[in-house]
Amino acid sequence: EVQWVESGGGLVQPGGSLTVSCTASGFTFSNSWMTWVRQAPGKGPEFVANIKQDGSGKNYVDSVKGRFTVSRDNAKNSLYLQMHSLRVEDTAVYYCARDHVLGFQDFWGQGTLVTVSS
Amino acid sequence: EIVMTQSPGTLSVSPGERATLSCRASQSVDNDLAWYQHKPGQAPRLLIYGASTRATGIPARFSGSGSGTEFSLTINSLQSEDFAVYYCQQYNNWRTFGQGTKVEIK
């Protein structure tokens, strides 16, 4: 059974920084692309970033380029999202998810809430 | 960016009835279309990929159809556990999601 432990969410002021993380179990973490998806209140999900199995390839949505960094530690089965220069519009629940080889996300975590507010 | 538009925004259905949800892409995504179910406080759940292939463990009452720009998700004989928000996602060109259809109890 695939399981996740997500952490790091919270309240941060505009311009601040925060790192969210998730630790997975129940599958071979090092064999999978991994993804961060966020969902702002009242909106549909938005793909944020993903990272290749060995960390050598990364993709970001335009709105977070230069501010967010995705990384992973395969020895710890863990995925990270470092967020800097946070904006009010970054307020969302952030989900980690496993990428299926075809491109969709087949298993998702329960999410961690990031609130950017003064 | 490919824009995904779902309709209706809310669908009121009685248990045991059929629900049909629609998803339209702003340009062709071939059949690179997935459907997810999302309940409050839970992880989103993959239902359908490849427009019509049920994911592992998904009951047969869920079916998907369509290709190109027009897609639909049908839920036959709605059960109490099916009341949730449903999202479509294209993964043909990057990945974008629709804004969701809430299926509520009538």
Side-chain angles (χ1 to χ4, degrees), chain B residues 22-61:
Chain B
S22 296
C23 175
R24 173 178 292 179
S26 60
Q27 64 189 72
S28 177
V29 299
D30 295 327
N31 67 342
D32 296 332
L33 192 285
W35 290 94
Y36 300 90
Q37 178 192 67
H38 194 195
K39 298 178 183 178
Q42 296 187 16
R45 177 191 183 195
L46 174 69
L47 299 175
I48 300 284
Y49 62 92
S52 61
T53 302
R54 277 189 303 277
T56 302
I58 301 304
R61 64 180 182 273

Side-chain angles (χ1 to χ4, degrees), chain A residues 35 37 39 43-48 50 59-61 95 99 102-106 108-110, chain B residues 1 32 34 36 38 41-46 49-50 87 89 91 94-100:
Chain A
T35 283
V37 175
Q39 186 166 21
K43 294 192 174 182
E46 178 185 41
F47 188 96
V48 176
N50 70 351
N59 298 292
Y60 298 92
V61 67
Y95 298 93
D99 279 11
L102 294 178
F104 52 88
Q105 286 67 56
D106 56 359
W108 298 59
Q110 291 191 313
Chain B
E1 176 183 301
D32 296 332
Y36 300 90
H38 194 195
Q42 296 187 16
R45 177 191 183 195
L46 174 69
Y49 62 92
Y87 295 99
Q89 177 207 35
Y91 49 95
W94 194 232
R95 292 157 181 81
T96 49
F97 294 85
Q99 78 280 18

Side-chain angles (χ1 to χ4, degrees), chain A residues 78-92:
Chain A
S78 293
L79 178 70
Y80 308 98
L81 186 67
Q82 294 177 282
M83 301 180 287
H84 300 288
S85 303
L86 281 160
R87 306 167 181 168
V88 170
E89 55 266 33
D90 294 319
T91 294

Side-chain angles (χ1 to χ4, degrees), chain B:
Chain B
E1 176 183 301
I2 298 177
V3 177
M4 307 301 291
T5 302
Q6 291 185 243
S7 61
T10 302
L11 191 58
S12 297
V13 186
S14 299
E17 292 187 339
R18 174 187 298 173
T20 301
L21 290 65
S22 296
C23 175
R24 173 178 292 179
S26 60
Q27 64 189 72
S28 177
V29 299
D30 295 327
N31 67 342
D32 296 332
L33 192 285
W35 290 94
Y36 300 90
Q37 178 192 67
H38 194 195
K39 298 178 183 178
Q42 296 187 16
R45 177 191 183 195
L46 174 69
L47 299 175
I48 300 284
Y49 62 92
S52 61
T53 302
R54 277 189 303 277
T56 302
I58 301 304
R61 64 180 182 273
F62 290 92
S63 62
S65 64
S67 66
T69 61
E70 300 283 344
F71 301 89
S72 63
L73 174 70
T74 299
I75 313 170
N76 286 308
S77 189
L78 268 156
Q79 307 295 301
S80 58
E81 62 266 30
D82 300 335
F83 293 96
V85 181
Y86 293 83
Y87 295 99
C88 62
Q89 177 207 35
Q90 68 80 20
Y91 49 95
N92 180 269
N93 185 337
W94 194 232
R95 292 157 181 81
T96 49
F97 294 85
Q99 78 280 18
T101 292
K102 181 180 181 180
V103 178
E104 65 176 23
I105 300 174
K106 186 175 181 179

